[in-house]
Amino acid sequence: MAMVCLSDFEAYAKKYLPKIAWDFFAAGADDCCTRDENVLAYKRIHFRPRMLRDVSMMDIRTKLLGTEISFPVGIAPTGFHQLAWPDGEKSTARAAQAMNTCYIASTYSTCTLEEISAAAPGGLRWFQLYIHRNRAVSQQLVQRAEALGFQGLVLTADLPYTGKRRDDVRNGFRLPPHMKLKNLEGAFEVCKMSPSFHDCSEYGLPPNSIDPSVTWNDIYWLRSLTHLPIIIKGILTKEDAELAVRHGVQGIIVSNHGGRQLDGGPATIDALVEVVEAVQGSVEVYLDGGIRKGSDVLKALALGAKCVFIGRPALWGLAYKGEEGLQDVLRILQDEFRLSMALAG
Amino acid sequence: MAMVCLSDFEAYAKKYLPKIAWDFFAAGADDCCTRDENVLAYKRIHFRPRMLRDVSMMDIRTKLLGTEISFPVGIAPTGFHQLAWPDGEKSTARAAQAMNTCYIASTYSTCTLEEISAAAPGGLRWFQLYIHRNRAVSQQLVQRAEALGFQGLVLTADLPYTGKRRDDVRNGFRLPPHMKLKNLEGAFEVCKMSPSFHDCSEYGLPPNSIDPSVTWNDIYWLRSLTHLPIIIKGILTKEDAELAVRHGVQGIIVSNHGGRQLDGGPATIDALVEVVEAVQGSVEVYLDGGIRKGSDVLKALALGAKCVFIGRPALWGLAYKGEEGLQDVLRILQDEFRLSMALAG
Amino acid sequence: MAMVCLSDFEAYAKKYLPKIAWDFFAAGADDCCTRDENVLAYKRIHFRPRMLRDVSMMDIRTKLLGTEISFPVGIAPTGFHQLAWPDGEKSTARAAQAMNTCYIASTYSTCTLEEISAAAPGGLRWFQLYIHRNRAVSQQLVQRAEALGFQGLVLTADLPYTGKRRDDVRNGFRLPPHMKLKNLEGAFEVCKMSPSFHDCSEYGLPPNSIDPSVTWNDIYWLRSLTHLPIIIKGILTKEDAELAVRHGVQGIIVSNHGGRQLDGGPATIDALVEVVEAVQGSVEVYLDGGIRKGSDVLKALALGAKCVFIGRPALWGLAYKGEEGLQDVLRILQDEFRLSMALAG
Amino acid sequence: MAMVCLSDFEAYAKKYLPKIAWDFFAAGADDCCTRDENVLAYKRIHFRPRMLRDVSMMDIRTKLLGTEISFPVGIAPTGFHQLAWPDGEKSTARAAQAMNTCYIASTYSTCTLEEISAAAPGGLRWFQLYIHRNRAVSQQLVQRAEALGFQGLVLTADLPYTGKRRDDVRNGFRLPPHMKLKNLEGAFEVCKMSPSFHDCSEYGLPPNSIDPSVTWNDIYWLRSLTHLPIIIKGILTKEDAELAVRHGVQGIIVSNHGGRQLDGGPATIDALVEVVEAVQGSVEVYLDGGIRKGSDVLKALALGAKCVFIGRPALWGLAYKGEEGLQDVLRILQDEFRLSMALAG
């Protein structure tokens, strides 16, 4: 099976992952409209390709908050990488380091932050945070991450409660017994995953462990805990983009959580424009969602994103061959992105 | 079979109801364009989700003409509930009472108003009326309903004649012999349902029993019969919304009769906006049609509806397990609606 | 098989007509885009239904150039009715007379004008004309029609050459030997239909018998031949509508020849509006194309048509049961049209 | 199998060509969105057909830079015609000459320019050029073409690198050993085609033989090499159209390389309008891409193209019967184009 484009990795993962893992990674909320729109929306955006420009030299490097990466595609925070590959997030970290790009490690990792750091000590790593009702848990995570050399703190803003992913409910999804939310061990008595949606909506944490009362003022609280730059993830409107700037974040990731939270919001590439306009260059804007080929990356950059992050495609790469498979995915995107730049002039 | 979302109940009903009953409940007029548009139109409406608002406490209660219900979803008037469940409308009334919401009982019930009242004496019930050529019949129904504690009178305005539902004609649809339009027993010699569309278009009533000459002035006549608030159902344009206000109704249900009457009108969610604008808050506006998940409810409320009413989904719930099944449907909508509210900020 | 709507007749005809006849009647030019658009365009037009109007009495009669018909649906000129039913155009004429509506007999009939007149002496009949290179043929036809009591002359303007209907070419379509273009017998040596598109594009006439040099001035020539009102068929633009008025026609049929001529023009219901606006009531405007149910008729009337004409549905009716089948089709349209009027207020 | 329209030739080629050849000719870049849009975009463009114009005489001849051709359809430059038919480009040249139209021979021909000239000495031929890093190669080609009587030089501007055509990568596409890029023999050591996309993206040439640093100034260099008119191929925006005029080209071919280069640009028929407007008649504008029937040609002309060029349809014709098959394709387009003109008035 030739792995020529990202769809090939998707097909492989669908075929070879356990159904429950595939379903979990693929799941969107409700009818999956937003998940699918994330991808379809790119097809409605057309380039205006320019010709006869000298494209013999192309510099595809960029900087994230001052740190150079090899090309503008990073790894979005997704959970439970051991479901895709035994080494889990360690493989992810190694692949990102090898490709010299940014990896945003999820709170819901199946490896510890320490293992992730040790696996790829020289890589650019950010840490993604949920704010728990038990604030001490969150504070401790932030400070561990900073101490371990993570260089950015990504606050997920769109998950006050977990979205309704029908297949997960049908499957009674739960982590296999040998996998743990290692970063949270000890912090909570880890919940026995039950088949009911209502009992355990946070996938391995006690019900309602995440704090739904978080507001913009909690940015100040985070600020007081760490010197790391704060990036807010999950913004879809100009109003929230302005609030983010006003509350002093350093970056915004336009995201709808891969269509796994609210079904019926905009595709991220469609929301990008108003966010970019609202911030007027005062903070960096990134995009998460729906990237399936290099020209999608170029479209996002043309509309003002500094960089994109890939979620599911990274998991497909892991599912194919762990670190090596993820590098394949990144390399394909890199080649395709460079080619698109050349062909679009 | 896990009942996770309303589509699961639909699939169940399609599988287990007698074909003639399923067809009758599912039927739309002509090519069913409007029936299908009612559902599809929601997908074209996108939220602008807002983040980092405190959604730890959410109050989803609302009031219908001053009476509180637990969340903004009621039961639309549909006929012949015994086709879905032996206890018929008694089950419907009990489920609505249990969930503390409003049930609009249809003139074409297979239980009497008395049975419905007795089944759920404490529930909020409205009564839906067709005006018959024989006005005495209608007058008697209104006064019976008022006496029995129904708290609102819903006048259906979009059925001067019955729409052409092809499958019903093909099936020669008729009520099974042991079911009766109990509220009308004695009022008419109940017609033997024949397979011809032309002979018996009112499904169990003598042909042409409904009065097609009803006009806005008949609102005054209704007003003279009862102290109940009058809600008009079937309005789709601003012109008619203004007329409704001018004729002194207390509420408007934007509805196209589930796409069972005129094929080719607007989806109800699309018509809602102009009706809401036209009445400028002077009367309450509700919506009927196409609701399939909690976020649809939120969209209707965001566009100005005070509450929505569900027709077919209620029947699917009944078909699944009677009162209990309908409660399941309502509870799923309630959970999904609450979650959507939280996720949309 | 219950014949409930026009699609049932279509399905019947597709199943029971000889393939070559079905293909001939169904054929559109090239990719059949325009043929299909004619039908689809109605679905994009939405009513604004009005409620509580007295619809107990509805008058659906109308007048065509002063002559009353029972409802605004006539029979468009189509050829070769013997392919659908042995009695051919005689059956068509009888059905139209029985339903008291207008039948436009085609030049390419398989019965003579005399037979058609004799079959339905009291019916409203118009005669459809192509102008042949041999003008004497056309002149003779016009004068025969007038003498026989046809009350209107319909000039087809959109067939200077025959459109390319791929299936007819593939089938090597030709009339069976026992059918004749009876109105033209003797006028030309009737061509042996060959399988090549190029040899015999006029389906039974010598190649190039129709005059492609006809211009607006030929309306004056027609005018000099007859006292009959002249209706021009095939107009799709306001420019041509204005020219038609200026050249003194009495009526315009907006038509694209059922999508059998130029593939890529507008649907007739879409072209209707600009034609109606252009003529400002100075002549009657009719519509031909895509009618499949009574509400389509109502849409055409709401957009300014005085009457519609049906082509393929009439043939399906003939194919079902000749005169009786066509009456069924007309009666269904009549019932549906009356119901739509009532439901749209 | 009756060959009635171009789709018949496509179906034939798909059935009878070796898969690797069919895939190569059919391939579009990435998801093939642009390739497919090229065709679909025509369906969104509607004629405004005019009636009763004298269409008995129609002159469909046109002139390309002063040279008359029999109708406005030429042969676009495509490579490797021996994959479609043993005689390769010689057949193509003969068919174009026989139909008295223009053939643009590709640099990537499997016959030499000398063979092509000899095959059709009297035909209008243009020569298509890529500029190689080794400029001497390009210079020699231009001067050979001029000496051989080619009358125009077509510079392809949209291939600084080869697009990513997934099927070619999957198939490990390479020319069969007995076929050669004959015009370039000796110029490069011809590369052994390997299955890897990265190794040999120019299909038979050494990697990176094409110069990606070409800019508008290289038009002046070309100008210095030849007296031939220069036509630039691959323009899609008004900005580039203006640059082309300013740099002194004689013609512009609006093209996206059949959707084989950048996936995500506009359909060529959609880009045509802005290019035509930008040049204001100062140079001739042609169109390449998506033509499937005669009315597509007419649409392109109505939007300002002087002539269209066909790529894949020409290959289908070759695959059917070589020179004869291509003549069939051209004759069908000619007949359909003439008929469309007549029917559109």
Side-chain angles (χ1 to χ4, degrees):
Chain A
M1 188 175 188
M3 305 308 271
V4 173
C5 59
L6 268 55
S7 316
D8 295 331
F9 291 83
E10 182 177 18
Y12 183 96
K14 184 163 191 178
K15 191 163 173 187
Y16 292 108
L17 277 181
K19 179 175 186 310
I20 206 167
W22 165 259
D23 280 356
F24 172 73
F25 291 141
D30 292 345
D31 294 319
C32 301
C33 298
T34 298
R35 179 194 68 176
D36 296 340
E37 267 295 289
N38 271 358
V39 175
L40 292 173
Y42 288 99
K43 299 200 189 296
R44 293 189 296 259
I45 298 173
H46 286 169
F47 291 112
R48 294 177 56 76
R50 302 297 305 275
M51 301 299 142
L52 297 189
R53 294 176 163 190
D54 179 349
V55 292
S56 54
M57 310 293 243
M58 280 183 300
D59 187 353
I60 61 173
R61 292 170 302 174
T62 189
K63 284 185 177 175
L64 296 191
L65 300 175
T67 304
E68 186 179 300
I69 55 175
S70 67
F71 77 117
V73 177
I75 312 290
T78 51
F80 305 170
H81 289 195
Q82 285 189 354
L83 281 175
W85 190 253
D87 258 8
E89 288 81 2
K90 288 183 285 185
S91 301
T92 317
R94 283 187 208 113
Q97 177 176 272
M99 291 296 294
N100 190 21
T101 190
C102 177
Y103 166 36
I104 309 179
S106 167
T107 291
Y108 288 174
S109 295
T110 42
C111 301
T112 62
L113 295 183
E114 288 74 11
E115 290 170 317
I116 292 170
S117 293
L124 174 60
R125 280 166 282 112
W126 291 355
F127 172 65
Q128 174 272 337
L129 184 78
Y130 294 111
I131 298 183
H132 292 92
R133 290 182 194 267
N134 181 343
R135 295 289 173 110
V137 171
S138 299
Q139 174 171 356
Q140 178 252 347
L141 280 169
V142 169
Q143 291 169 344
R144 258 168 85 195
E146 185 167 6
L148 286 163
F150 284 79
Q151 297 179 35
L153 182 65
V154 175
L155 176 67
T156 295
D158 58 4
L159 200 138
Y161 301 96
T162 304
K164 180 170 180 178
R165 303 154 199 173
R166 294 175 182 173
D167 279 347
D168 287 347
V169 185
R170 289 204 173 87
N171 292 337
F173 174 78
R174 50 189 305 177
L175 276 185
H178 61 285
M179 296 186 200
K180 302 268 181 283
L181 293 185
K182 285 204 175 165
N183 287 313
L184 298 167
E185 275 191 308
F188 308 102
E189 175 80 14
V190 174
C191 154
K192 304 297 170 204
M193 186 68 73
S194 91
S196 153
F197 170 74
H198 298 285
D199 291 1
C200 198
S201 59
E202 280 87 21
Y203 293 105
L205 291 179
N208 303 320
S209 72
I210 289 181
D211 186 350
S213 75
V214 172
T215 66
W216 289 101
N217 285 330
D218 291 294
I219 303 280
Y220 300 130
W221 171 70
L222 278 184
R223 182 76 297 150
S224 75
L225 300 182
T226 177
H227 298 102
L228 292 179
I230 295 174
I231 300 101
I232 188 159
K233 175 167 176 283
I235 300 304
L236 292 166
T237 61
K238 60 173 183 286
E239 295 85 349
D240 279 350
E242 282 161 10
L243 284 168
V245 171
R246 206 173 312 149
H247 286 81
V249 306
Q250 277 68 49
I252 291 173
I253 304 182
V254 173
S255 169
N256 51 28
H257 216 108
R260 295 161 78 84
Q261 289 292 104
L262 179 66
D263 198 30
T268 52
I269 190 72
D270 289 336
L272 176 64
V273 176
E274 73 175 79
V275 171
V276 166
E277 278 175 9
V279 305
Q280 298 188 308
S282 61
V283 305
E284 296 190 354
V285 178
Y286 319 111
L287 180 132
D288 161 47
I291 295 287
R292 293 296 176 268
K293 53 183 183 173
S295 59
D296 294 341
V297 180
L298 184 58
K299 286 175 181 175
L301 266 66
L303 294 174
K306 181 90 177 176
C307 168
V308 306
F309 291 94
I310 57 170
R312 292 185 185 94
L315 295 162
W316 305 333
L318 282 180
Y320 177 57
K321 282 191 186 170
E323 172 189 347
E324 193 183 332
L326 177 47
Q327 280 196 53
D328 288 347
V329 163
L330 288 167
R331 208 172 293 114
I332 284 174
L333 277 176
Q334 195 176 54
D335 286 348
E336 290 181 348
F337 172 65
R338 187 188 286 115
L339 182 58
S340 304
M341 264 184 75
L343 298 183
Chain B
M1 188 175 191
M3 306 308 272
V4 172
C5 58
L6 268 55
S7 315
D8 296 331
F9 291 83
E10 181 177 18
Y12 183 95
K14 184 163 191 177
K15 190 163 175 188
Y16 292 108
L17 276 181
K19 179 176 185 311
I20 205 166
W22 165 259
D23 280 356
F24 171 73
F25 291 141
D30 293 344
D31 294 319
C32 301
C33 298
T34 298
R35 179 193 69 177
D36 297 340
E37 267 295 289
N38 272 358
V39 176
L40 292 172
Y42 288 98
K43 300 202 188 296
R44 292 189 296 259
I45 298 172
H46 286 170
F47 290 112
R48 292 178 56 78
R50 301 296 305 274
M51 301 298 142
L52 297 189
R53 295 175 162 192
D54 180 350
V55 293
S56 56
M57 309 295 243
M58 280 183 301
D59 186 353
I60 60 172
R61 292 171 302 173
T62 189
K63 285 186 177 175
L64 295 191
L65 300 174
T67 304
E68 185 179 299
I69 56 175
S70 67
F71 77 117
V73 177
I75 312 289
T78 51
F80 306 169
H81 290 194
Q82 285 189 355
L83 282 175
W85 192 254
D87 258 8
E89 288 79 4
K90 287 183 285 186
S91 301
T92 317
R94 284 189 206 109
Q97 178 177 270
M99 290 296 293
N100 191 20
T101 190
C102 177
Y103 166 38
I104 310 178
S106 167
T107 291
Y108 289 172
S109 295
T110 42
C111 301
T112 61
L113 294 183
E114 288 74 9
E115 291 170 317
I116 292 169
S117 294
L124 174 60
R125 281 166 282 112
W126 291 355
F127 172 65
Q128 174 272 338
L129 184 77
Y130 294 111
I131 299 184
H132 292 92
R133 289 181 195 267
N134 181 343
R135 296 288 173 109
V137 172
S138 300
Q139 175 171 356
Q140 178 252 349
L141 281 169
V142 170
Q143 292 169 344
R144 257 167 84 193
E146 185 167 5
L148 287 164
F150 285 79
Q151 297 179 35
L153 182 66
V154 175
L155 175 67
T156 295
D158 58 4
L159 199 138
Y161 302 95
T162 304
K164 180 170 180 178
R165 302 154 200 174
R166 294 176 182 173
D167 279 348
D168 287 347
V169 185
R170 289 206 174 86
N171 292 336
F173 174 78
R174 51 190 304 176
L175 277 184
H178 63 283
M179 296 185 201
K180 302 268 182 281
L181 292 186
K182 285 204 176 166
N183 287 313
L184 298 167
E185 275 191 309
F188 308 102
E189 173 80 14
V190 174
C191 155
K192 303 298 171 207
M193 185 68 73
S194 90
S196 154
F197 171 74
H198 299 285
D199 289 1
C200 197
S201 59
E202 280 87 22
Y203 293 104
L205 291 179
N208 303 318
S209 74
I210 289 181
D211 186 349
S213 76
V214 172
T215 66
W216 289 101
N217 286 329
D218 291 294
I219 303 279
Y220 301 130
W221 171 71
L222 278 183
R223 182 74 299 149
S224 74
L225 301 181
T226 178
H227 298 101
L228 292 179
I230 295 174
I231 300 100
I232 188 160
K233 174 167 176 283
I235 300 304
L236 293 165
T237 61
K238 62 172 183 287
E239 294 85 349
D240 279 349
E242 283 162 8
L243 284 169
V245 171
R246 206 171 312 147
H247 287 82
V249 305
Q250 277 68 49
I252 291 173
I253 304 182
V254 174
S255 169
N256 51 28
H257 216 106
R260 296 161 79 82
Q261 288 293 102
L262 179 67
D263 199 30
T268 53
I269 189 73
D270 289 335
L272 176 64
V273 176
E274 73 175 80
V275 171
V276 167
E277 277 175 11
V279 305
Q280 298 187 309
S282 60
V283 305
E284 296 189 355
V285 178
Y286 319 111
L287 180 133
D288 161 47
I291 295 288
R292 293 294 177 268
K293 52 183 184 175
S295 59
D296 295 341
V297 181
L298 184 58
K299 286 175 182 176
L301 267 66
L303 294 174
K306 182 90 178 175
C307 168
V308 305
F309 291 94
I310 56 169
R312 292 186 184 93
L315 296 162
W316 305 334
L318 282 180
Y320 177 57
K321 281 190 188 171
E323 172 189 347
E324 195 183 330
L326 177 48
Q327 281 196 53
D328 288 346
V329 162
L330 288 167
R331 209 173 291 114
I332 284 174
L333 276 177
Q334 194 176 55
D335 286 347
E336 290 181 348
F337 172 66
R338 189 188 285 114
L339 182 57
S340 305
M341 263 184 76
L343 298 183
Chain C
M1 186 176 191
M3 304 310 270
V4 172
C5 59
L6 268 53
S7 315
D8 295 331
F9 291 84
E10 182 178 18
Y12 183 96
K14 185 164 191 178
K15 190 164 174 189
Y16 292 108
L17 276 182
K19 179 175 187 309
I20 205 165
W22 166 259
D23 280 355
F24 172 73
F25 291 141
D30 293 345
D31 293 318
C32 301
C33 298
T34 299
R35 178 193 69 177
D36 297 340
E37 268 295 288
N38 271 357
V39 175
L40 292 172
Y42 287 98
K43 300 201 188 294
R44 293 189 296 259
I45 298 171
H46 287 170
F47 290 112
R48 293 177 56 77
R50 302 297 305 274
M51 301 299 141
L52 297 189
R53 295 176 163 190
D54 179 349
V55 292
S56 56
M57 309 294 242
M58 280 183 300
D59 186 354
I60 60 172
R61 292 171 302 172
T62 189
K63 284 185 177 175
L64 295 192
L65 300 175
T67 304
E68 185 179 299
I69 55 175
S70 66
F71 78 117
V73 177
I75 313 290
T78 50
F80 306 169
H81 290 194
Q82 286 190 353
L83 282 175
W85 191 254
D87 258 8
E89 287 80 3
K90 287 183 285 185
S91 301
T92 317
R94 284 188 206 111
Q97 177 177 273
M99 291 295 293
N100 190 20
T101 189
C102 177
Y103 166 36
I104 310 179
S106 166
T107 290
Y108 289 173
S109 296
T110 42
C111 301
T112 62
L113 295 183
E114 288 73 11
E115 291 170 318
I116 293 170
S117 294
L124 174 60
R125 281 165 283 114
W126 291 354
F127 172 64
Q128 175 271 337
L129 183 78
Y130 295 110
I131 299 183
H132 292 91
R133 289 182 195 266
N134 181 343
R135 297 287 174 110
V137 172
S138 299
Q139 175 169 355
Q140 179 252 349
L141 281 169
V142 170
Q143 292 169 344
R144 259 167 84 193
E146 185 167 5
L148 287 163
F150 285 80
Q151 297 180 35
L153 182 65
V154 175
L155 175 68
T156 295
D158 59 5
L159 200 137
Y161 301 96
T162 304
K164 180 170 180 178
R165 303 154 198 173
R166 293 175 182 174
D167 279 348
D168 287 347
V169 185
R170 287 203 175 86
N171 292 337
F173 173 78
R174 50 190 304 175
L175 278 183
H178 61 285
M179 296 185 201
K180 303 266 180 287
L181 292 185
K182 285 204 175 166
N183 287 313
L184 298 167
E185 274 191 310
F188 308 103
E189 174 81 12
V190 175
C191 156
K192 303 298 169 203
M193 185 68 73
S194 91
S196 153
F197 171 72
H198 298 286
D199 290 1
C200 197
S201 58
E202 281 86 20
Y203 293 104
L205 291 180
N208 303 317
S209 71
I210 289 181
D211 186 349
S213 74
V214 171
T215 68
W216 290 100
N217 285 329
D218 291 294
I219 304 280
Y220 300 131
W221 172 71
L222 278 184
R223 183 74 299 149
S224 74
L225 301 182
T226 178
H227 298 102
L228 292 179
I230 295 174
I231 300 100
I232 188 160
K233 175 168 176 279
I235 300 303
L236 293 165
T237 61
K238 62 173 181 286
E239 294 86 348
D240 279 350
E242 283 162 8
L243 284 169
V245 172
R246 204 171 314 147
H247 286 82
V249 305
Q250 276 69 49
I252 290 174
I253 304 181
V254 173
S255 169
N256 51 29
H257 216 108
R260 296 161 79 83
Q261 289 292 103
L262 180 67
D263 199 30
T268 53
I269 190 73
D270 290 335
L272 176 64
V273 177
E274 72 175 78
V275 170
V276 167
E277 278 175 10
V279 305
Q280 297 187 308
S282 61
V283 304
E284 297 189 353
V285 177
Y286 320 111
L287 180 132
D288 161 46
I291 296 289
R292 294 295 177 268
K293 52 183 183 174
S295 58
D296 295 341
V297 181
L298 184 58
K299 287 175 182 176
L301 266 64
L303 294 174
K306 181 90 177 175
C307 168
V308 305
F309 291 94
I310 55 169
R312 291 185 185 93
L315 295 162
W316 305 334
L318 282 181
Y320 177 57
K321 280 191 187 169
E323 173 189 346
E324 195 184 329
L326 177 47
Q327 281 196 53
D328 289 346
V329 162
L330 288 167
R331 210 173 291 114
I332 285 175
L333 277 177
Q334 194 176 55
D335 286 347
E336 290 181 348
F337 173 65
R338 188 187 286 113
L339 182 58
S340 305
M341 263 184 75
L343 299 183
Chain D
M1 187 176 189
M3 306 309 272
V4 172
C5 59
L6 269 53
S7 317
D8 296 330
F9 291 83
E10 182 178 17
Y12 183 96
K14 185 164 191 179
K15 191 164 174 188
Y16 292 108
L17 276 182
K19 180 175 185 311
I20 205 167
W22 165 259
D23 281 355
F24 171 73
F25 292 141
D30 292 345
D31 294 319
C32 301
C33 298
T34 299
R35 179 194 67 177
D36 296 340
E37 268 294 288
N38 272 357
V39 175
L40 293 172
Y42 288 97
K43 300 201 187 297
R44 293 189 295 260
I45 298 172
H46 286 170
F47 291 112
R48 293 178 55 77
R50 302 297 305 275
M51 301 299 142
L52 297 189
R53 294 176 162 190
D54 179 349
V55 292
S56 55
M57 309 294 243
M58 281 184 299
D59 186 354
I60 59 172
R61 292 171 302 173
T62 189
K63 284 184 176 176
L64 296 191
L65 300 175
T67 304
E68 186 178 300
I69 55 175
S70 67
F71 77 116
V73 177
I75 313 291
T78 50
F80 306 170
H81 290 194
Q82 286 190 353
L83 282 174
W85 191 254
D87 258 7
E89 287 80 2
K90 287 183 284 183
S91 301
T92 317
R94 283 188 207 112
Q97 177 177 274
M99 291 295 293
N100 191 20
T101 190
C102 177
Y103 166 36
I104 310 179
S106 167
T107 290
Y108 289 172
S109 295
T110 42
C111 301
T112 62
L113 296 183
E114 287 75 11
E115 290 170 318
I116 293 170
S117 294
L124 175 59
R125 281 166 282 113
W126 290 355
F127 172 65
Q128 175 271 336
L129 183 79
Y130 294 111
I131 298 183
H132 292 91
R133 290 183 195 266
N134 181 342
R135 296 289 173 109
V137 171
S138 300
Q139 174 170 355
Q140 180 252 347
L141 281 169
V142 169
Q143 292 170 344
R144 258 167 85 194
E146 185 167 6
L148 287 164
F150 285 79
Q151 297 180 33
L153 181 66
V154 175
L155 175 67
T156 294
D158 59 5
L159 200 138
Y161 301 96
T162 304
K164 180 170 180 178
R165 302 153 199 174
R166 294 175 182 173
D167 279 347
D168 287 347
V169 186
R170 289 205 174 87
N171 291 337
F173 174 77
R174 50 190 305 177
L175 277 184
H178 61 286
M179 295 185 201
K180 302 267 181 284
L181 293 185
K182 285 205 175 164
N183 288 313
L184 298 167
E185 275 192 309
F188 307 104
E189 174 81 12
V190 175
C191 154
K192 304 299 169 202
M193 186 68 75
S194 91
S196 153
F197 171 73
H198 298 286
D199 290 1
C200 199
S201 58
E202 281 87 19
Y203 293 106
L205 292 180
N208 303 318
S209 72
I210 289 181
D211 186 350
S213 75
V214 171
T215 67
W216 289 100
N217 285 329
D218 291 294
I219 304 279
Y220 301 131
W221 172 70
L222 278 183
R223 182 76 298 150
S224 75
L225 300 181
T226 177
H227 298 101
L228 292 179
I230 295 174
I231 300 101
I232 188 160
K233 175 168 176 280
I235 300 304
L236 292 165
T237 61
K238 61 174 182 285
E239 294 85 349
D240 279 349
E242 283 161 9
L243 284 169
V245 171
R246 205 173 311 148
H247 286 81
V249 305
Q250 275 70 48
I252 291 174
I253 303 180
V254 174
S255 169
N256 51 28
H257 217 107
R260 296 161 78 84
Q261 289 293 102
L262 180 67
D263 199 30
T268 52
I269 190 74
D270 290 335
L272 176 64
V273 176
E274 72 175 79
V275 170
V276 167
E277 278 175 10
V279 305
Q280 298 187 308
S282 60
V283 304
E284 296 189 355
V285 178
Y286 319 111
L287 180 132
D288 162 47
I291 295 288
R292 293 296 177 267
K293 53 183 182 173
S295 58
D296 295 341
V297 180
L298 184 58
K299 287 175 182 177
L301 267 66
L303 294 173
K306 181 90 177 177
C307 168
V308 305
F309 291 94
I310 55 169
R312 291 184 186 95
L315 295 162
W316 304 334
L318 282 181
Y320 177 56
K321 281 191 187 169
E323 173 189 346
E324 195 183 330
L326 177 48
Q327 280 196 53
D328 288 347
V329 162
L330 288 168
R331 210 173 291 115
I332 285 175
L333 277 177
Q334 194 176 55
D335 286 347
E336 290 181 349
F337 173 66
R338 188 188 285 115
L339 182 59
S340 304
M341 264 184 75
L343 298 183

